[in-house]
Amino acid sequence: MSGAFYRIDKFAVPAAAREEFLVNVMMTHKVLGAQDGFIDHTVLEQVGGPGEFNFVTIAQWESADVVERVRAAVAVAHKAANFDPQEMFARLGIRADIASYKPVAA
């Protein structure tokens, strides 16, 4: 798939898990930022409204073609840091909605 590509992840993070969650998100985004095809990333924290998810991360890529290579690089970095996201989610009660998106043609 060519053209701009986005990975948008939404998280419901309990208050007690906030700091550990953010440390690991920032570590992961540092790895993302070093990858070829990376354009930008944003981490958002909810400050109002009834939404279920209080954190959203957005990573923008040149195309979907880089996804598998980036996924592998992130896995290597997580292993080197002895970090298992699924274990952290289960231990801290974090729920996630993770998906990939492409722009809608006008």
Side-chain angles (χ1 to χ4, degrees):
M1 177 185 317
S2 63
F5 181 79
Y6 297 82
R7 167 75 179 256
I8 301 175
D9 301 343
K10 298 172 277 192
F11 302 94
V13 180
R18 181 184 184 275
E19 186 160 335
E20 183 176 346
F21 170 78
L22 285 174
V23 164
N24 287 296
V25 164
M26 297 309 179
M27 179 263 297
T28 300
H29 278 238
K30 186 174 180 179
V31 174
L32 297 178
Q35 304 304 306
D36 288 338
F38 172 81
I39 295 175
D40 194 21
H41 66 85
T42 304
V43 178
L44 303 170
E45 183 173 13
Q46 181 181 16
V47 295
E52 166 183 6
F53 298 102
N54 55 337
F55 285 92
V56 175
T57 64
I58 304 168
Q60 182 180 3
W61 301 94
E62 289 176 357
S63 73
D65 300 335
V66 302
V67 171
E68 286 308 313
R69 180 182 43 75
V70 170
R71 195 172 282 144
V74 169
V76 167
H78 284 174
K79 186 172 183 172
N82 197 29
F83 172 59
D84 178 350
Q86 298 309 316
E87 180 279 329
M88 181 186 73
F89 292 171
R91 177 172 46 81
L92 297 177
I94 296 170
R95 290 181 301 105
D97 177 28
I98 296 172
S100 298
Y101 297 81
K102 65 178 184 169
V104 176

